[in-house]
Amino acid sequence: MKNSLAILALVMLAGFSQPVSAQVKIGTVNSQQILENIPETKSIQQQMQKLREAAESEFATKVQKFQEEAADYERKKELLTPEKRKQTESELQSKQQELQQLNQYKVQELQQKQVELTKPMEEKVMSAIEAVAKKEGLTLVLDKTNSIANVVMYADDSLDITFKVLDYLKTAKAPAKPKSGK
């Protein structure tokens, strides 16, 4: 009997402790799908492809030159004095390290350029999501991008505003930066 009264008291307290508040309206969006379907993405991909090709070409030229120097050394090393051999090997090792550093630098440079190019587009998409969410009266929008670390485990398709955001981006001028400070 004591347990029944305790359970009843907890149920009543739980019911009374719930604050009366406005209904939360949640929507979902597939940001990956949006990014794949706006024109800026293709332009950025083309720019990045050109930059990658230029970096790869520059690197390949330097690698080829290094390989030629190493092959030349291998052909001539028996004719060199031990001191000259040691000096040349040291120089080749330094050049190989420089190539590795150049490769790392180029990768970082490309990643930085990718961020630089995509940031305005991402801000535009965020502004569009915010505008559609406000128009739809949503208080929360979750991204359901398909990935292993998916934030949304399940969402009814009726909550999805992805296509409304795409329509907004096609028809309206979205502000460059999302509004914050709420």
Side-chain angles (χ1 to χ4, degrees):
M1 183 72 169
K2 277 186 178 181
N3 286 341
S4 297
L5 287 174
I7 292 172
L8 181 61
L10 285 173
V11 169
M12 289 176 55
L13 283 174
F16 290 121
S17 67
Q18 296 283 335
V20 178
S21 63
Q23 184 174 350
V24 175
K25 194 170 175 190
I26 300 173
T28 63
V29 69
N30 184 329
S31 62
Q32 183 177 350
Q33 184 178 10
I34 292 170
L35 291 172
E36 289 171 356
N37 286 288
I38 58 175
E40 290 94 329
T41 300
K42 288 182 180 90
S43 172
I44 290 170
Q45 288 172 341
Q46 290 170 348
Q47 288 178 50
M48 289 304 300
Q49 183 63 30
K50 287 178 184 175
L51 291 170
R52 261 190 298 283
E53 288 171 358
E56 287 171 1
S57 175
E58 177 186 345
F59 186 70
T61 300
K62 292 184 184 226
V63 166
Q64 183 178 0
K65 183 179 177 189
F66 170 76
Q67 289 172 337
E68 289 169 0
E69 289 178 19
D72 186 49
Y73 166 72
E74 285 298 320
R75 282 190 302 270
K76 296 179 181 177
K77 78 178 180 180
E78 295 302 322
L79 303 173
L80 300 175
T81 65
E83 295 82 27
K84 184 66 175 167
R85 234 187 266 171
K86 190 173 183 177
Q87 178 188 354
T88 305
E89 287 173 1
S90 177
E91 289 171 2
L92 287 171
Q93 285 178 344
S94 292
K95 288 180 181 183
Q96 187 175 22
Q97 288 174 349
E98 288 173 13
L99 282 173
Q100 290 171 348
Q101 290 173 347
L102 176 66
N103 186 43
Q104 290 173 350
Y105 172 76
K106 289 294 183 183
V107 168
Q108 289 173 347
E109 187 178 52
L110 287 170
Q111 289 171 343
Q112 185 177 3
K113 188 66 174 176
Q114 176 88 28
V115 168
E116 180 185 315
L117 290 173
T118 57
K119 186 173 176 148
M121 177 183 58
E122 290 171 352
E123 289 174 348
K124 179 180 175 181
V125 169
M126 289 302 296
S127 293
I129 291 170
E130 183 178 325
V132 170
K134 286 180 180 178
K135 181 180 175 190
E136 296 292 317
L138 301 175
T139 52
L140 180 65
V141 177
L142 302 172
D143 190 350
K144 65 175 193 172
T145 300
N146 297 327
S147 69
I148 291 287
N150 202 339
V151 175
V152 179
M153 299 307 285
Y154 169 79
D156 187 304
D157 287 340
S158 67
L159 301 173
D160 194 336
I161 63 169
T162 300
F163 292 103
K164 291 177 182 179
V165 172
L166 282 168
D167 289 342
Y168 180 86
L169 285 167
K170 290 177 186 172
T171 60
K173 294 289 183 191
K177 293 195 176 209
K179 296 175 184 164
S180 60
K182 294 179 189 172

